Amino acid sequence: MNVSAWSIKNPLPACMLFVLLTLMGLYAFHSMRIQNFPDIDLPTVVVTTVLEGATPSQLENDVARKIEDNLATVQGIDHVFSTLQDGVATITAQFELEKPIQEAVDEVRSSVASVRNELPANTQEPIVTKLDLAEQPILAFTVSSTRRDETDLSWLVDNTIARKLLTVSGVGKVSRVGGRDRQVRVDVDPVLLQGLGATVADVSRQLKSVQQEQSGGKAELGLQKQPIRTLGAVKSAAQLEDLRIPLANGKAITLGEVATVRDSFADPVTAAFLDGKPVVAFEVARSRGAGEVDVGRGVMQALDQIKSQYPDLTFKTAFDMVEPVQDEYDGAMHMLYEGALLAVFAVWLFLRDVRATLVSAVALPLSIIPAFVGMYFLGFTINGVTLLALSLVVGILVDDAIVEVENIVRHLQSGKSPYRAAMEAADEIGLAVVATTFTLIAVFLPTAFMSGIAGKFFKQFGWTAAIAVFASLVVARMLTPMMCAYILKPSKKAPKDPGWMTFYLKWVDRSLHHRWITVLIAGLFFIGSIVVIPLLPTGFMPADDMSQTQVYVEMQPGTPLTETEKTAERARRLIMENPSVQSVYTSIGGGAAGGDPFAGGQTQEERKATLTVLLKPRAERPVKQEIEADIRQRLQVIPGVRLKVGLGGSGEKYMLVLSSEQPDVLMQTALAVGRELRTIAGIGNISSSASLVRPEIEVHPRFEDAAQLGVTSAAMADTLRVATAGDFEVSLSKLNLDQRQIPIVVALEKWAIQDLDFIENLRVPGANGPVPLSSVADVRLGGGPAVINRYDRARNITFEIELSGVALGDIVKQVKRLSSMKTLPASVSVIDIGDAEVMEELFESFGLAIIIGIVCIYIVLVLLFKQFLQPLTILAALPLSLGGAFIGLLLAHKSFSMPSLIGLIMLMGIATKNSILLVEYAILAIKEKGMTRLEALRDACHKRARPILMTTLAMGAGMMPLAVGWGTADPAFRSPMAIAVLGGLITSTFLSLLIIPAVFLIVDDVSAFFRRHTGKLFNDPE
């Protein structure tokens, strides 16, 4: 059935259909969440195991290796990463992408449970969770008060603010940074304790036994069952001093006799500062499925309510990932409007008819709005990927309508009525419009099925673009002809060729008469395009230009919090000297805002600080990479620290990983590679995970002496741990208050643990009573690794190289040329992880998607034209678009990366579109009008040149806002893509207008040759 003819004869159903689709689309649009990126499920499972007080080396031997070996038997495991730090082992199991995430979690949990009995007895129950990218903080705030101290403010954040924010829809987690935790400290005098012949562990354990509440069974009194409770808990810290506790040697003491009891706070391990002033901060993370913009709005409303309830509080934003998402959304929407207006203006330039331009303009909103219906039912969100797809196709969506309108106007100018012109022109152009649309769908849809992590993200891209393009076909075949039939006026002007048409047709005649020379020139142009490729820098993602960045400061192992604070403040003052910096938020020992969600396992330490730097708006400063380079230069004066500058996102770093089962060889190799890496020009800071050796106090038991005195190694470790740091959290006595429990920590007084001689004389329990530690062990200073990293059950060292604006592919090539990399020991291997691995995977996936797209285009064209060879004429336009794209990237100094590849995919559809318009009309003229080949081709060029130029100009105008980077949105990603499209659009349009007719003749000659020589092999159809 001819849909266009039916729509013209029955205008009301077509109008009502689009009214319905528009209303549904507007509802779907307002119902969809706004996100930065779509939520994706990566089959990655994290096992967190806590063994308080254990060193990284101990965790490697006692925990990590056992769990890793067991995980190796789980089906579908791709890689296993382990990070071992004081007391915490984090093991990340990365599965093949096809593995269902819940199945992966269940299998890892079963594997860990099977090895649980082999882990040390004091190990806490391992926690198995899936990696959720949505758990990264999107907001960080600082809070200050005019009448609350730091301890009360910390409790207010933990109890009141966190609970209020967790009621906000979409908030998944609230975590505090800085502040102080209330704690009852029992500082034992070691001299008095030694006189009693007791240990700190005795006092701690006995205190817990005495100071607690427990049930005591049931009794029957007065014909009623009544529970029995033992209420042995004190109500305040002051009451603890008078508490009498029995010791293991039979003596009893009052706690105040041997210790000082204080209701105080725990030693701080985290700190937060805003512009150098100490603050209490908290971070907010969204839950999976929630949109950043909605969460941000809800959080701000909740904070306003809290502030009205507590007028003494002042909140300030320290880190904000909601504003960039809102800016991206607003910028993308503005670019859609600007691109649409420019495309419509391009139509008016050619037609100079307000009514015809209006008909074309209606196609844009009526193609985009119904696309939201499909996106809504597929569960998509409004995010950077879907907005990118819509921004890309905004120029294409009007193309089908332009072709229809231009053809109808041409028929009008021949003296036909609008009704008849619409009927005949729509029927004439129908096949070309359907062919062009389905070739575009064949180009975009394969990207939705790409493999790898890139495929997870581009599922929404491919489907969104395909749905919008299909909607434009429905508009062009149903609404546009119908509107033309009833809105356009009969033309009183005789058809007149524009001035350029005569010049163009002369060149067409030359190319047809010298077809082989024309094709040779096209071949040389294609070869020249290939030659340009090595000149382009290659990368994965362009570095962003957001108005915030971060500086990571890492001190020597063992550095106390106070020293880290001093260094971080010095770094902050140096950073503030840059005129583009507005404010700096510093978090020490805690906080994850702006961190890399894929860099799991990195627990915070007192020696590490993160400075979040808020920059001025993009219009008031240079690009972020220049500011970061200036910051690096300024921070070089700080000695003895490791520095990283940048948010660490895609396009900002290169990860080089060396792995070996021989730690000594690995360390020597890493040192050599690290020295040569620093000779590469143009890169930023280089940080290495090669663990710095930290000072340790080592206790070496003398087993013969220990056995004679009945002292075990476990007793020594237990006594030392309780005396210096307090008992395990689960073993501590608690002070019960109305709303919480305060831990009671029993430990030696501070001065005692600062003297090595005193530590040597600590009493440890033996068979015949406590004995000095020095009588059963040697105590001396030593060293050990602060962090141990493992990859696939072997030690590894990772170099994180800041790209500082240099293309990732160029850095990879330079690293491979280093002499130390060429002469690696046999036991050391290089592993590709991070952007380098994803970049290689991305190029392979896009290459496959392009090949599949070309095959699909060919199949579609064969089915529509019912010929095998002439579709090759249309495909000949593809190579002609590459040169312009590569030259455009080269002139604009853009890298060949993910956005460039997206642009190339789009170019495939555009180039074939123009060729289809020419070839389809030529075939039609030969078959139905009886023209010769040359007459048909000349007539096709005459009739189709104007719509081709109109669609090219419309698409170019739609791309212009993206290429120039108008608006508030970050242009770093969209600009290379638009430049590639614009460059390829220019060359493919002008070259195909001349070269495709020549190729048509050659292909037709070949087709005739095959028909003559193979016709006898097939029967004639009856």
Side-chain angles (χ1 to χ4, degrees):
M1 183 181 72
N2 190 326
V3 176
S4 299
W6 178 86
S7 180
I8 293 171
K9 293 175 183 177
N10 303 278
L12 290 180
C15 290
M16 290 302 100
L17 171 65
F18 281 96
V19 168
L20 179 62
L21 286 175
T22 301
L23 292 176
M24 290 175 63
L26 292 174
Y27 172 79
F29 176 74
H30 287 289
S31 300
M32 293 196 305
R33 297 176 301 277
I34 301 172
Q35 294 181 327
N36 188 19
F37 287 108
D39 287 326
I40 60 173
D41 271 329
L42 293 179
T44 302
V45 183
V46 181
V47 182
T48 305
T49 307
V50 176
L51 178 58
E52 292 186 52
T55 63
S57 300
Q58 180 185 349
L59 287 169
E60 182 180 36
N61 295 321
D62 295 347
V63 177
R65 282 181 174 154
K66 294 175 181 177
I67 294 178
E68 287 173 355
D69 291 344
N70 225 44
L71 284 177
T73 62
V74 176
Q75 186 177 4
I77 283 276
D78 200 3
H79 298 294
V80 177
F81 310 85
S82 298
T83 302
L84 312 173
Q85 294 177 275
D86 279 342
V88 182
T90 306
I91 300 164
T92 303
Q94 180 180 316
F95 286 80
E96 297 169 355
L97 286 175
E98 295 75 21
K99 185 85 169 181
I101 180 62
Q102 192 54 50
E103 183 180 324
V105 171
D106 293 340
E107 291 184 8
V108 169
R109 186 173 286 122
S110 299
S111 175
V112 172
S114 67
V115 79
R116 177 67 180 89
N117 292 333
E118 299 178 30
L119 304 181
N122 293 327
T123 307
Q124 295 181 18
E125 193 65 31
I127 300 172
V128 180
T129 57
K130 66 178 180 180
L131 176 68
D132 191 353
L133 303 182
E135 287 184 350
Q136 286 300 107
I138 59 172
L139 287 166
F141 298 92
T142 64
V143 56
S144 57
S145 172
T146 55
R147 62 183 183 85
R148 301 172 197 269
D149 62 17
E150 198 173 11
T151 306
D152 290 341
L153 198 56
S154 300
W155 171 242
L156 185 70
V157 171
D158 294 340
N159 184 56
T160 305
I161 296 176
R163 285 200 299 181
K164 177 69 174 177
L165 293 181
L166 287 171
T167 63
V168 175
S169 176
V171 173
K173 184 180 179 182
V174 179
S175 52
R176 173 167 57 86
V177 184
R180 291 178 173 178
D181 294 315
R182 187 176 169 188
Q183 185 182 86
V184 176
R185 299 181 64 92
V186 180
D187 295 328
V188 179
D189 188 319
V191 178
L192 295 175
L193 199 63
Q194 285 184 14
L196 292 170
T199 67
V200 182
D202 288 339
V203 177
S204 182
R205 307 280 164 73
Q206 290 299 326
L207 177 61
K208 183 176 182 182
S209 300
V210 172
Q211 203 279 130
Q212 62 177 270
E213 294 183 6
Q214 283 195 347
S215 63
K218 294 181 180 179
E220 293 187 18
L221 300 177
L223 302 179
Q224 286 184 333
K225 288 186 176 181
Q226 297 178 355
I228 301 173
R229 292 169 59 203
T230 303
L231 303 177
V234 299
K235 299 299 182 183
S236 68
Q239 294 177 5
L240 280 175
E241 290 190 344
D242 300 326
L243 192 66
R244 196 164 184 82
I245 58 174
L247 298 178
N249 57 12
K251 298 178 183 179
I253 60 168
T254 301
L255 197 58
E257 294 175 353
V258 294
T260 303
V261 181
R262 294 180 292 121
D263 189 345
S264 181
F265 48 82
D267 291 336
V269 293
T270 68
F273 300 85
L274 183 63
D275 291 331
K277 298 177 182 178
V279 291
V280 178
F282 58 93
E283 298 177 345
V284 181
R286 68 179 177 90
S287 58
R288 180 177 173 77
E292 284 92 341
V293 174
D294 294 335
V295 171
R297 189 182 303 116
V299 167
M300 297 308 295
Q301 291 173 355
L303 291 182
D304 288 340
Q305 295 173 8
I306 294 171
K307 194 172 181 181
S308 64
Q309 187 178 356
Y310 300 94
D312 60 300
L313 299 182
T314 301
F315 295 100
K316 290 185 178 180
T317 304
F319 179 88
D320 188 354
M321 280 304 296
V322 175
E323 185 178 358
V325 175
Q326 184 70 58
D327 288 345
E328 285 292 308
Y329 169 76
D330 293 338
M333 297 306 293
H334 287 149
M335 280 189 263
L336 277 174
Y337 305 146
E338 292 160 359
L341 290 173
L342 287 171
V344 171
F345 178 70
V347 175
W348 181 83
L349 279 179
F350 277 88
L351 297 181
R352 299 300 174 94
D353 185 329
V354 175
R355 290 173 180 258
T357 304
L358 176 65
V359 173
S360 301
V362 167
L364 266 172
L366 292 185
S367 299
I368 290 180
I369 294 174
F372 291 118
V373 179
M375 293 165 59
Y376 178 78
F377 283 109
L378 287 172
F380 296 171
T381 60
I382 299 174
N383 54 65
V385 174
T386 52
L387 286 173
L388 174 68
L390 293 176
S391 301
L392 267 177
V393 300
V394 67
I396 295 177
L397 298 182
V398 77
D399 282 4
D400 291 339
I402 288 174
V403 172
E404 293 267 10
V405 170
E406 192 277 338
N407 204 38
I408 292 171
V409 168
R410 187 169 52 80
H411 278 256
L412 275 176
Q413 291 175 345
S414 65
K416 299 176 184 176
S417 68
Y419 189 91
R420 184 183 169 196
M423 291 286 284
E424 294 181 5
D427 183 56
E428 179 185 86
I429 202 74
L431 180 62
V433 171
V434 172
T436 56
T437 300
F438 277 97
T439 54
L440 280 169
I441 293 174
V443 164
F444 284 121
L445 208 51
T447 61
F449 300 96
M450 291 193 308
S451 61
I453 294 177
K456 292 278 187 179
F457 280 99
F458 277 91
K459 175 184 177 183
Q460 295 196 16
F461 172 85
W463 278 109
T464 300
I467 291 170
V469 169
F470 182 76
S472 75
L473 172 65
V474 177
V475 172
R477 297 304 295 146
M478 291 188 68
L479 198 64
T480 302
M482 183 268 290
M483 291 181 68
C484 287
Y486 294 100
I487 292 178
L488 296 187
K489 294 291 185 182
S491 177
K492 298 178 182 178
K493 297 179 181 178
K496 182 182 178 182
D497 289 336
W500 53 265
M501 183 63 74
T502 305
F503 177 77
Y504 165 62
L505 291 177
K506 287 181 180 178
W507 278 98
V508 169
D509 291 335
R510 290 180 183 177
S511 69
L512 291 175
H513 285 98
H514 305 284
R515 66 193 75 164
W516 285 106
I517 296 177
T518 303
V519 172
L520 179 62
I521 292 172
L524 293 174
F525 178 79
F526 175 66
I527 294 171
S529 305
I530 302 300
V531 172
V532 173
I533 294 179
L535 303 177
L536 291 172
T538 56
F540 170 48
M541 293 267 282
D544 69 80
D545 193 22
M546 290 195 306
S547 293
Q548 53 193 9
T549 185
Q550 287 186 328
V551 176
Y552 302 87
V553 179
E554 182 179 353
M555 306 283 288
Q556 291 283 346
T559 302
L561 183 67
T562 53
E563 289 301 315
T564 308
E565 290 177 358
K566 293 177 183 177
T567 304
E569 174 59 17
R570 183 181 178 188
R572 184 197 68 82
R573 288 197 298 267
L574 292 170
I575 292 169
M576 289 297 295
E577 292 176 2
N578 187 296
S580 298
V581 175
Q582 281 189 333
S583 65
V584 179
Y585 160 62
T586 305
S587 63
I588 301 173
D596 186 354
F598 293 99
Q602 292 292 337
T603 58
Q604 291 287 351
E605 300 177 71
E606 296 177 34
R607 65 188 183 92
K608 296 179 180 179
T610 302
L611 287 77
T612 301
V613 183
L614 181 63
L615 306 176
K616 290 181 179 179
R618 192 176 296 110
E620 302 175 21
R621 59 171 174 81
V623 294
K624 189 172 77 169
Q625 285 68 42
E626 292 183 18
I627 300 172
E628 289 175 343
D630 178 72
I631 290 174
R632 288 189 193 98
Q633 188 65 34
R634 293 179 187 274
L635 296 181
Q636 293 301 320
V637 299
I638 302 178
V641 297
R642 286 179 173 178
L643 296 168
K644 287 192 292 183
V645 180
L647 286 170
S650 292
E652 293 188 358
K653 62 184 179 182
Y654 167 49
M655 309 283 283
L656 173 65
V657 182
L658 304 178
S659 178
S660 175
E661 295 182 358
Q662 300 179 16
D664 294 338
V665 177
L666 179 63
M667 181 61 73
Q668 293 173 4
T669 305
L671 291 174
V673 172
R675 282 193 297 269
E676 291 197 13
L677 283 176
R678 287 169 173 81
T679 64
I680 298 177
I683 60 175
N685 294 321
I686 300 171
S687 59
S688 166
S689 67
S691 184
L692 298 172
V693 176
R694 62 173 180 184
E696 292 179 346
I697 299 174
E698 297 178 349
V699 178
H700 297 268
R702 299 194 299 274
F703 296 110
E704 186 174 342
D705 294 339
Q708 289 178 356
L709 295 173
V711 179
T712 63
S713 298
M716 297 181 203
D718 195 45
T719 301
L720 287 166
R721 185 187 67 254
V722 176
T724 57
D727 211 341
F728 292 126
E729 179 71 23
V730 294
S731 302
L732 292 178
S733 179
K734 304 292 192 301
L735 183 66
N736 295 325
L737 302 182
D738 291 339
Q739 293 183 328
R740 55 174 168 164
Q741 288 186 321
I742 308 297
I744 302 171
V745 179
V746 179
L748 290 179
E749 292 182 348
K750 291 290 184 183
W751 63 265
I753 61 175
Q754 295 173 354
D755 188 340
L756 189 60
D757 292 336
F758 213 98
I759 292 175
E760 288 181 340
N761 290 315
L762 278 177
R763 300 281 174 162
V764 294
N768 300 315
V771 299
L773 179 64
S774 58
S775 64
V776 292
D778 296 323
V779 182
R780 57 177 178 262
L781 294 176
V787 184
I788 293 177
N789 293 288
R790 292 170 59 81
Y791 180 87
D792 285 347
R793 297 190 288 170
R795 286 271 187 104
N796 77 281
I797 292 176
T798 302
F799 293 95
E800 191 171 312
I801 303 166
E802 294 175 0
L803 298 180
S804 189
V806 183
L808 174 62
D810 295 346
I811 296 296
V812 173
K813 292 176 185 175
Q814 292 187 58
V815 169
K816 288 181 178 178
R817 288 198 293 263
L818 296 178
S819 59
S820 58
M821 293 294 292
K822 293 179 180 178
T823 58
L824 288 176
S827 61
V828 178
S829 59
V830 180
I831 303 166
D832 282 332
I833 65 171
D835 285 0
E837 181 183 23
V838 178
M839 181 180 72
E840 185 177 343
E841 181 184 82
L842 174 77
F843 285 170
E844 290 178 0
S845 297
F846 265 108
L848 184 60
I850 288 173
I851 293 171
I852 292 173
I854 292 172
V855 172
C856 290
I857 290 172
Y858 177 74
I859 292 172
V860 168
L861 295 176
V862 167
L863 293 175
L864 289 173
F865 291 122
K866 300 180 178 61
Q867 294 186 29
F868 280 106
L869 290 181
Q870 279 304 345
L872 296 177
T873 306
I874 297 168
L875 294 179
L878 295 180
L880 304 179
S881 63
L882 297 178
F886 295 150
I887 292 171
L889 291 171
L890 192 64
L891 294 176
H893 304 290
K894 302 294 184 182
S895 64
F896 188 54
S897 55
M898 181 191 287
S900 313
L901 285 169
I902 296 171
L904 290 182
I905 283 184
M906 184 178 176
L907 275 176
M908 288 169 51
I910 296 170
T912 54
K913 230 175 159 176
N914 295 337
S915 301
I916 287 171
L917 291 174
L918 285 174
V919 172
E920 186 270 342
Y921 188 88
I923 294 175
L924 183 72
I926 293 171
K927 287 185 176 179
E928 297 186 6
K929 297 183 179 181
M931 295 184 180
T932 64
R933 294 187 310 169
L934 290 176
E935 290 173 343
L937 285 169
R938 201 175 190 281
D939 194 40
C941 292
H942 181 231
K943 297 276 196 323
R944 292 290 191 250
R946 189 169 72 158
I948 287 174
L949 289 177
M950 286 173 65
T951 56
T952 299
L953 192 59
M955 280 185 281
M959 288 285 104
M960 192 58 69
L962 297 178
V964 177
W966 291 342
T968 57
D970 183 3
F973 188 90
R974 293 183 175 91
S975 180
M977 177 183 59
I979 288 170
V981 172
L982 283 172
L985 196 61
I986 293 169
T987 57
S988 68
T989 299
F990 289 104
L991 289 176
S992 59
L993 281 171
L994 294 173
I995 293 169
I996 292 303
V999 175
F1000 182 95
L1001 285 180
I1002 295 173
V1003 171
D1004 195 56
D1005 289 340
V1006 174
S1007 179
F1009 173 81
F1010 279 108
R1011 282 197 300 271
R1012 287 195 303 270
H1013 291 83
T1014 62
K1016 297 177 182 179
L1017 299 176
F1018 303 99
N1019 297 325
D1020 291 329
E1022 294 181 1

